[in-house]
Amino acid sequence: MRTRDVYLARDETLPDSGLKYIKLDVSYPISQLVIEVEATTGSTSCLDHEIHDDITSIEVIDGSDVLFSLNGKQMLGLAALTHRRLPPQVLTEVGGATQKETFIIDFGRYLYDPEYALDPKKFTNPQLAITYALTISATAGFATGTGKLTVVARCMEEGYGPIKGFLMTKAHYPFTAVANQEYSIDLPRDYPYRLLCLQALLDDNGIADCVDRLELSINNDQWVPYKLYADELKYFQREWFGIVRQQKTVLRADDASFHTDIFEPEEVTVRTTADDHIVTVEAVDQNKVSIGLYDMSSPDTPAFQTTAKTCVCNAEGYMVSGLIGLPFGDLNNPEDWLPAQKQDAIKLKFQAKAAFAGDVIIQQVRS
């Protein structure tokens, strides 16, 4: 196969907020779009704030036809499920530093999938549309005028095809859950399902804190491919999608806490770059990490460090951005995917145990 990487934008300056359109002006099938956004942190710090917090939506559109639509947090969660790792990130709270994040849009089952890709020639005016609003703050956001955007289309020139379709991923049902309420959400029946996700996003809370169970009912319970309670959901998330790792540089003193994007952590470590200091992990409450920081410059009389120092956290786990995934068989085998268009009814059922920010994300194959 002959491939080509096409820059659609490179280090293009972004206003602090807005809606940015990038025309998908390529003549070859696109296997993947790589989107990089960077900004300079505030002059003092950028406490517990990342670029993905400020990405309202990343979409691929053709007029009113939406081919892809997720926000920044959802894109991280989806990458963790489908790639089994997070895209490259430089997450730092240090003042005046560069924070950078990568967001991936896959149109195929994997990079350079010869059968599934987005062919721009089949659309009238395909565009990438990014809606964002960088938080401008000296202590908990970014410096004004420092946003930059790079977009790369990873294309196939020869050795592919015939193209059968492309993966279409969209968030369908944003809602705020009410604790102890039962939900039954009607899902679309237009294209086959490759992956279904429930987003249950609530800081300091994991799967068992947010939902009692997940149940997928087809044709009024004639077929129930999934009915899993929280304990088994946790096990299967790890079994199906593995664990991912995230690194974050934080600026904290003793008796402080911060958040990662991993809501079901398995291991969290923290080290400090400050000379003659020791940092300890004192508690991990899902995505919340609490630390102790000690000044050891006088070893005989160690002291609590009340001035913020640079520390590096490495977290490993799953449920990134609160996403719980339900795959349909082998993600690389279209014969396993759910033929939604042949069903009379598809419903996702669950009981909310907390008031979380929710959404339903579906990855489908569209011809």
Side-chain angles (χ1 to χ4, degrees):
M1 178 182 289
R2 195 162 97 176
T3 64
R4 177 188 292 241
D5 293 336
V6 179
Y7 278 87
L8 304 177
R10 185 173 185 275
D11 289 340
E12 186 171 320
T13 300
L14 290 174
D16 292 339
S17 63
L19 172 56
K20 178 65 178 179
Y21 290 102
I22 300 287
K23 188 173 182 179
L24 301 184
D25 191 15
V26 295
S27 56
Y28 307 106
I30 301 172
S31 181
Q32 184 183 84
L33 287 175
V34 179
I35 301 156
E36 296 176 351
V37 183
E38 69 174 73
T40 302
T41 56
S43 57
T44 302
S45 59
C46 186
L47 298 181
D48 241 354
H49 196 82
E50 284 84 42
I51 288 171
H52 60 255
D53 296 323
D54 293 340
I55 305 291
T56 305
S57 68
I58 295 179
E59 297 184 316
V60 176
I61 59 174
D62 182 42
S64 61
D65 191 4
V66 180
L67 313 179
F68 180 97
S69 181
L70 296 177
N71 64 35
K73 292 181 180 180
Q74 292 166 345
M75 293 196 70
L76 293 185
L78 181 69
L81 297 178
T82 58
H83 287 239
R84 301 172 71 94
R85 64 182 182 275
L86 288 173
Q89 297 177 302
V90 179
L91 305 181
T92 179
E93 296 184 345
V94 176
T98 298
Q99 194 177 119
K100 187 173 184 178
E101 293 203 53
T102 305
F103 305 96
I104 304 294
I105 298 178
D106 290 303
F107 296 113
R109 297 165 293 182
Y110 45 85
L111 183 61
Y112 303 131
D113 182 341
E115 295 182 324
Y116 293 91
L118 182 73
D119 188 351
K121 297 192 298 296
K122 293 185 178 180
F123 298 91
T124 303
N125 185 29
Q127 297 181 85
L128 176 69
I130 304 173
T131 304
Y132 68 96
L134 294 176
T135 298
I136 305 303
S137 169
T139 58
F142 304 98
T144 185
T146 62
K148 292 183 179 180
L149 173 69
T150 295
V151 179
V152 179
R154 310 202 73 181
C155 304
M156 299 179 289
E157 288 189 358
E158 294 179 357
Y160 63 87
I163 299 296
K164 297 179 179 179
F166 64 94
L167 296 183
M168 178 178 71
T169 308
K170 295 192 284 188
H172 286 264
Y173 189 76
F175 66 100
T176 300
V178 177
N180 301 315
Q181 181 167 313
E182 291 283 345
Y183 286 84
S184 180
I185 301 173
D186 288 306
L187 302 181
R189 294 176 288 112
D190 45 3
Y191 301 105
Y193 288 22
R194 181 181 188 241
L195 178 66
L196 172 65
C197 305
L198 173 69
Q199 184 178 32
L201 187 63
L202 180 63
D203 278 336
D204 315 340
N205 289 265
I207 293 175
D209 304 305
C210 291
V211 295
D212 173 63
R213 71 188 186 284
L214 273 187
E215 179 179 348
L216 187 65
S217 170
I218 297 176
N219 300 335
N220 298 315
D221 290 346
Q222 290 182 18
W223 177 27
V224 182
Y226 286 112
K227 185 176 181 180
L228 292 171
Y229 286 85
D231 288 346
E232 288 70 41
L233 269 174
K234 290 177 62 174
Y235 169 76
F236 283 122
Q237 292 304 293
R238 194 187 193 285
E239 182 75 11
W240 290 329
F241 306 111
I243 62 173
V244 300
R245 176 175 174 269
Q246 184 177 58
Q247 184 176 94
K248 180 176 179 178
T249 300
V250 300
L251 198 61
R252 290 293 190 277
D254 179 65
D255 196 25
S257 62
F258 56 89
H259 291 90
T260 74
D261 294 297
I262 296 175
F263 283 72
E264 288 288 352
E266 293 208 344
E267 183 174 1
V268 177
T269 62
V270 183
R271 60 181 173 84
T272 181
T273 61
D275 289 341
D276 301 322
H277 282 71
I278 293 175
V279 62
T280 60
V281 176
E282 303 202 333
V284 178
D285 299 305
Q286 304 312 130
N287 68 322
K288 179 182 177 181
V289 182
S290 300
I291 63 169
L293 184 61
Y294 305 93
D295 185 346
M296 303 295 293
S297 55
S298 299
D300 293 336
T301 56
F304 297 121
Q305 178 53 266
T306 58
T307 301
K309 301 294 182 180
T310 301
C311 300
V312 180
C313 172
N314 286 286
E316 294 183 358
Y318 51 96
M319 197 189 177
V320 173
S321 299
L323 261 66
I324 306 167
L326 297 177
F328 293 95
D330 183 346
L331 291 180
N332 288 332
N333 184 1
E335 293 183 2
D336 287 351
W337 302 347
L338 174 67
Q341 72 279 16
K342 297 180 180 180
Q343 313 307 320
D344 295 324
I346 305 174
K347 293 185 178 182
L348 181 65
K349 300 178 181 181
F350 59 92
Q351 182 191 61
K353 296 179 67 177
F356 59 82
D359 212 329
V360 176
I361 296 164
I362 309 174
Q363 186 171 81
Q364 300 170 272
V365 62
R366 177 169 162 178
S367 57

